[in-house]
């Protein structure tokens, strides 16, 4: 199935999505892989792309949307260049994660689940990073920061472009 559409983000990636759909045509259980590969193209799952996926895999749009919203690894909104994942596990919570969260929110003028206006940062909460020994902790990209304090947060955030 070939569809001539353009994402409202102004970037034409439809040929890549068409290629993903062609490679997965008729394959049982392809939806997860197609969503993942499509998110790699855009950085998120635009509504237009999910419509195209539904048509290309002969699925209902509600099925595609249901899967895309069930799994936390998918995003329906663009994310920032740097994704901050702040741990909110019990050890992090007990060792000051809420103070760290408040500092991040104040420094970046956003709340958890939001992206800064300049698209530099997205702030997400996560249930565990697996580094309880250095709680409270956060991850930016693939780098983990532990033993966080409000002062450390300010320094870390300034180090990102």
């Amino acid at each position: 199935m070939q569809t001539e559409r353009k994402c409202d983000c102004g970037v034409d990636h439809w040929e890549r999505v068409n290629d993903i759909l062609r490679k997965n045509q008729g394959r049982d259980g392809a939806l997860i892989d197609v969503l993942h590969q499509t998110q790699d193209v855009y950085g998120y799952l635009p509504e237009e792309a999910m419509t195209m996926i539904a048509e290309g895999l002969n699925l209902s749009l509600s099925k595609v949307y249901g899967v895309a919203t069930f799994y936390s690894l998918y995003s329906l909104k663009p994310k920032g260049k740097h994704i901050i994942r702040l741990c909110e596990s019990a050890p992090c919570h007990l060792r000051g994660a809420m103070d760290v969260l408040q500092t991040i929110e104040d420094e970046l003028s956003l709340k958890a689940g939001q992206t800064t206006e300049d698209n530099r940062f997205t702030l997400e909460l996560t249930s565990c990073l697996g580094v309880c020994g250095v709680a409270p902790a956060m991850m930016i990209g693939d780098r983990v920061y532990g033993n966080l304090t409000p002062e450390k947060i300010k320094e870390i955030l300034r180090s990102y472009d």
Side-chain angles (χ1 to χ4, degrees):
M1 170 188 215
Q2 188 79 10
T3 307
E4 297 298 322
R5 297 184 186 180
K6 292 191 186 298
C7 174
D8 61 3
C9 61
V11 181
D12 186 5
H13 294 295
W14 293 117
E15 191 55 42
R16 289 176 64 189
V17 176
N18 275 321
D19 288 343
I20 293 167
L21 288 167
R22 276 193 293 277
K23 290 175 185 170
N24 288 281
Q25 201 72 40
R27 188 170 71 80
D28 287 340
L31 180 56
I32 296 286
D33 288 339
V34 170
L35 287 172
H36 187 71
Q37 292 170 42
T38 301
Q39 183 163 281
D40 286 347
V41 170
Y42 293 100
Y44 72 109
L45 293 170
E47 184 178 332
E48 297 89 347
M50 289 195 294
T51 299
M52 188 175 175
I53 291 167
E55 292 170 2
L57 296 179
N58 198 27
L59 298 170
S60 68
L61 182 56
S62 63
K63 169 81 172 179
V64 175
Y65 182 81
V67 171
T69 56
F70 177 79
Y71 293 104
S72 63
L73 63 111
Y74 299 122
S75 177
L76 303 185
K77 298 184 301 187
K79 292 190 177 190
K81 178 179 179 182
H82 306 290
I83 299 173
I84 301 168
R85 291 183 174 91
L86 179 66
C87 183
E88 61 178 353
S89 69
C92 284
H93 184 76
L94 290 171
R95 298 198 60 202
M98 294 304 101
D99 291 336
V100 169
L101 175 61
Q102 187 63 57
T103 301
I104 295 170
E105 290 177 342
D106 291 347
E107 287 294 308
L108 299 178
S109 299
L110 57 78
K111 297 286 183 192
Q114 295 180 337
T115 299
T116 57
E117 287 186 23
D118 62 3
N119 290 318
R120 285 182 54 223
F121 294 100
T122 296
L123 176 58
E124 298 179 346
L125 300 178
T126 186
S127 59
C128 185
L129 291 173
V131 291
C132 297
V134 294
M138 73 177 181
M139 178 183 271
I140 301 179
D142 60 357
R143 185 158 182 204
V144 175
Y145 298 91
N147 299 312
L148 296 172
T149 63
E151 295 74 29
K152 273 186 160 179
I153 289 295
K154 292 174 186 176
E155 181 182 323
I156 291 166
L157 292 176
R158 279 193 298 270
S159 73
Y160 283 85
D161 59 357

